[in-house]
């Protein structure tokens, strides 16, 4: 890869990162919201490096030279080769990288033309952890019926709330569909949450009973009550994290798919 092509790659990469972090919110599919300033700063740095390389190497085309004229790089390479006792014919190009470097254009073009979607059911199906923070004291449930809850809030109340505030209450939660292969007739309402980026995602899953499963990765809002079967009592660590669905309604994917927020009432 010639140096002027390397400069073009820097310019394209910086443009792609700016595109997903400034001109849109696509970056939220890959990193948490607080990292946006770092993405913008990185994109600006890449653009500056690309501009410097472009000015130096004569983008969009390599500078023309007359026959027999050598570039500074070629003269340096010749001096290096002669110093080690090698002729010009045995040297290696010093202004180009390995051919595999051309593959770097693929992710850049993907961000510009078709940004990969956020993680979904494929990732969630391979995780079994429902790790939520310990809660010492729970606030009263909203008086609204159904009571809107984040998945993490529902899981915490099911397994930690000794006052059993979910008993007899109808709740409303939003997430995407993950098929349940271990038990027929059920599926999971799922959220993926991240600490930094998609690579460290953790899944929050609530098993859904009593409703046919929509297609995998479909975002839905589920209304229902806690499902008591197959585990310990409500408010204990062995209580089943499950819901008996009354309604299942399709919704749009949220802008930030990794943020486990309380859904808005319709």
């Amino acid at each position: 890869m010639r140096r002027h092509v390397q400069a073009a790659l820097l310019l394209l990469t910086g443009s792609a990162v700016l595109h997903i972090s400034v001109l849109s919110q696509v970056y939220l599919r890959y990193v948490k919201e607080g990292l946006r300033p770092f993405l913008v700063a990185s994109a600006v740095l890449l653009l500056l490096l690309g501009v410097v390389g472009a000015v130096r190497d004569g983008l969009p085309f390599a500078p023309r030279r007359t026959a027999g004229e050598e570039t500074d790089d070629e003269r340096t390479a010749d001096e290096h080769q002669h110093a080690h006792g090698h002729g010009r014919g045995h040297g290696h190009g010093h202004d180009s990288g390995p051919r595999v470097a051309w593959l770097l254009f693929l992710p850049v073009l993907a961000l510009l033309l078709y940004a990969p979607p956020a993680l979904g059911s494929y990732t969630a199906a391979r995780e079994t952890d429902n790790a939520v923070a310990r809660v010492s004291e729970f606030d009263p449930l909203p008086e609204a019926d159904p009571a809107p809850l984040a998945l993490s809030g529902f899981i915490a109340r099911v397994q930690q709330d000794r006052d059993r505030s979910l008993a007899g209450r109808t709740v409303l939660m939003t997430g995407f569909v993950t098929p349940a292969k271990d038990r027929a007739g059920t599926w999971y309402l799922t959220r993926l949450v991240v600490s930094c980026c998609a690579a460290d995602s953790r899944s929050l899953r609530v098993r859904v009973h009593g409703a046919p499963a929509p297609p995998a990765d479909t975002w839905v809002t589920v209304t229902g009550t806690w499902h008591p079967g197959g585990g310990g009592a409500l408010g204990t660590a062995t209580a089943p994290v499950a819901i008996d669905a009354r309604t299942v309604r399709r919704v749009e994917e949220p802008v930030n798919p990794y943020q486990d927020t309380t859904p808005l009432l319709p």
Side-chain angles (χ1 to χ4, degrees):
M1 180 185 290
R2 294 290 180 179
R3 287 195 343 189
H4 60 279
V5 180
Q6 295 171 15
L9 178 60
L10 287 171
L11 290 171
L12 280 176
T13 304
S15 300
V17 176
L18 277 183
H19 173 71
I20 66 171
S21 59
V22 175
L23 301 180
S24 70
Q25 293 181 309
V26 172
Y27 77 99
L28 292 173
R29 301 178 185 178
Y30 318 118
V31 298
K32 64 186 306 181
E33 189 173 8
L35 295 178
R36 186 178 195 176
F38 300 98
L39 285 177
V40 175
S42 299
V44 171
L45 179 60
L46 288 171
L47 288 173
L48 288 176
L49 291 174
V51 169
V52 170
V55 171
R56 179 194 63 190
D57 297 320
L59 275 180
F61 302 104
R64 296 179 180 274
R65 63 178 188 264
T66 60
E69 181 184 354
E70 290 184 326
T71 65
D72 291 339
D73 285 336
E74 290 170 337
R75 282 192 292 270
T76 302
D78 284 342
E79 293 171 0
H80 174 76
Q81 291 158 3
H82 287 305
H84 290 78
H86 298 290
R88 176 76 178 269
H90 298 283
H92 300 280
H94 284 241
D95 63 341
S96 62
R99 292 181 180 178
V100 71
W102 287 94
L103 295 178
L104 293 173
F105 277 98
L106 296 181
V108 175
L109 293 176
L111 286 178
L112 286 172
L113 302 178
Y114 177 74
L119 299 179
S121 61
Y122 180 84
T123 300
R126 283 149 183 78
E127 299 182 9
T128 58
D129 200 8
N130 252 344
V132 296
R134 294 293 303 176
V135 181
S136 57
E137 184 177 355
F138 289 90
D139 294 329
L141 276 176
E143 295 182 359
D145 188 25
L149 281 179
L151 263 65
S152 56
F154 179 83
I155 295 168
R157 287 178 183 272
V158 166
Q159 298 187 330
Q160 301 179 34
D161 186 6
R162 302 298 181 181
D163 294 331
R164 305 197 307 165
S165 59
L166 288 176
R169 290 297 306 271
T170 302
V171 298
L172 179 146
M173 298 180 292
T174 297
F176 62 85
V177 177
T178 299
K181 299 180 181 180
D182 58 338
R183 190 180 304 177
T186 66
W187 47 281
Y188 289 108
L189 184 68
T190 315
R191 284 275 197 171
L192 289 171
V193 294
V194 301
S195 300
C196 173
C197 60
D200 62 21
S201 64
R202 297 178 294 109
S203 67
L204 301 171
R205 303 192 302 180
V206 175
R207 190 184 292 271
V208 179
H209 297 260
D217 295 311
T218 303
W219 280 84
V220 296
T221 291
V222 176
T223 302
T225 56
W226 174 68
H227 177 82
L234 183 62
T236 65
T238 57
V241 180
I243 186 174
D244 285 318
R246 293 183 180 176
T247 64
V248 177
R249 179 172 57 89
R250 296 194 182 197
V251 295
E252 293 293 327
E253 178 180 339
V255 173
N256 188 346
Y258 301 127
Q259 190 173 22
D260 181 37
T261 56
T262 301
L264 299 175
L265 290 174

